[in-house]
Amino acid sequence: MLHEAYYPSEGGDNGPIKILYGFVQEGVGKDHQLTLVVFYPKLTGTSLFNLSDEIKAGLTNFLLQKHVYGVKASFIRVAFVCPHADENDFYGESWGIDVFENYAKEQIDKRSKKFLDKVFKNRTINISINSRNLTVGLTDEIKLIEHENLDATQTAYLLDKLKEVDYGDFNKVFGE
């Protein structure tokens, strides 16, 4: 199912830019992969690729928390898809999600400072967490890691998968 959202165009007035997004699910068990695919059919402001890292991560985090809150971050990838100048071909960029870095930062910031920490500026802390707990929504922020460029074939595959799961009219689905 496709959803719509908006992000701020960073050039000029930060006006809202409409995007569409959906999820592509593949594999089972350890090979399970969920990909958030964010795209727009026609560019009207700052390209998704030209957004600052903070805006990209914030937009991604917002969309993930809205739909897959509590899902283990290692099962999720994010793909931003944009049309080429001629708008007949699409290309994309993909990232993984890192929750641990922000979780560790939040734990360090919450830790009460002892007198010696202030004198020696010692900010060392041991953080242990079971990786199954590193889920979307564990922290207020996430980080996008493992950047990959997607070629036209990979991008077309993601868009075709989105079309397969966009059921549209449920009467049609249950009637056939």
Side-chain angles (χ1 to χ4, degrees):
M1 178 178 279
L2 292 179
H3 307 276
E4 66 180 54
Y6 294 85
Y7 71 89
S9 178
E10 288 188 304
D13 61 359
N14 287 352
I17 305 299
K18 181 178 176 180
I19 54 171
L20 300 172
Y21 67 96
F23 294 89
V24 173
Q25 186 172 336
E26 301 173 292
V28 292
K30 289 184 179 183
D31 296 329
H32 182 81
Q33 183 75 55
L34 183 67
T35 304
L36 166 63
V37 181
V38 180
F39 68 98
Y40 45 77
K42 192 170 232 170
L43 178 62
T44 58
T46 304
S47 166
L48 287 166
F49 301 138
N50 293 335
L51 294 174
S52 67
D53 291 343
E54 293 80 22
I55 297 285
K56 285 179 189 174
L59 174 63
T60 300
N61 196 30
F62 171 75
L63 297 176
L64 291 176
Q65 286 198 26
K66 184 174 178 179
H67 295 281
V68 292
Y69 184 87
V71 173
K72 186 174 174 185
S74 61
F75 289 124
I76 300 174
R77 290 212 50 89
V78 179
F80 286 175
V81 176
C82 299
H84 277 291
D86 63 7
E87 296 185 5
N88 291 328
D89 248 354
F90 286 80
Y91 63 100
E93 292 182 353
S94 176
W95 295 270
I97 305 292
D98 181 17
V99 174
F100 183 75
E101 184 175 320
N102 289 303
Y103 175 76
K105 183 176 180 242
E106 287 177 14
Q107 294 304 305
I108 289 170
D109 291 344
K110 286 181 190 175
R111 180 176 170 243
S112 61
K113 294 182 183 178
K114 297 175 184 161
F115 177 72
L116 290 177
D117 289 342
K118 292 177 185 175
V119 172
F120 295 109
K121 296 184 179 166
N122 182 8
R123 300 286 286 163
T124 303
I125 184 173
N126 289 329
I127 298 173
S128 63
I129 186 169
N130 189 324
S131 66
R132 75 171 174 261
N133 294 330
L134 294 176
T135 64
V136 171
L138 177 67
T139 61
D140 292 333
E141 296 179 23
I142 62 170
K143 184 176 180 185
L144 297 177
I145 57 171
E146 301 167 359
H147 174 262
E148 296 176 7
N149 289 318
L150 302 176
D151 62 20
T153 306
Q154 293 167 310
T155 304
Y157 171 78
L158 288 173
L159 292 174
D160 286 340
K161 282 295 218 179
L162 278 180
K163 283 190 231 174
E164 286 177 19
V165 297
D166 189 10
Y167 301 115
D169 183 8
F170 282 95
N171 291 328
K172 235 182 182 178
V173 172
F174 293 113
E176 294 176 357

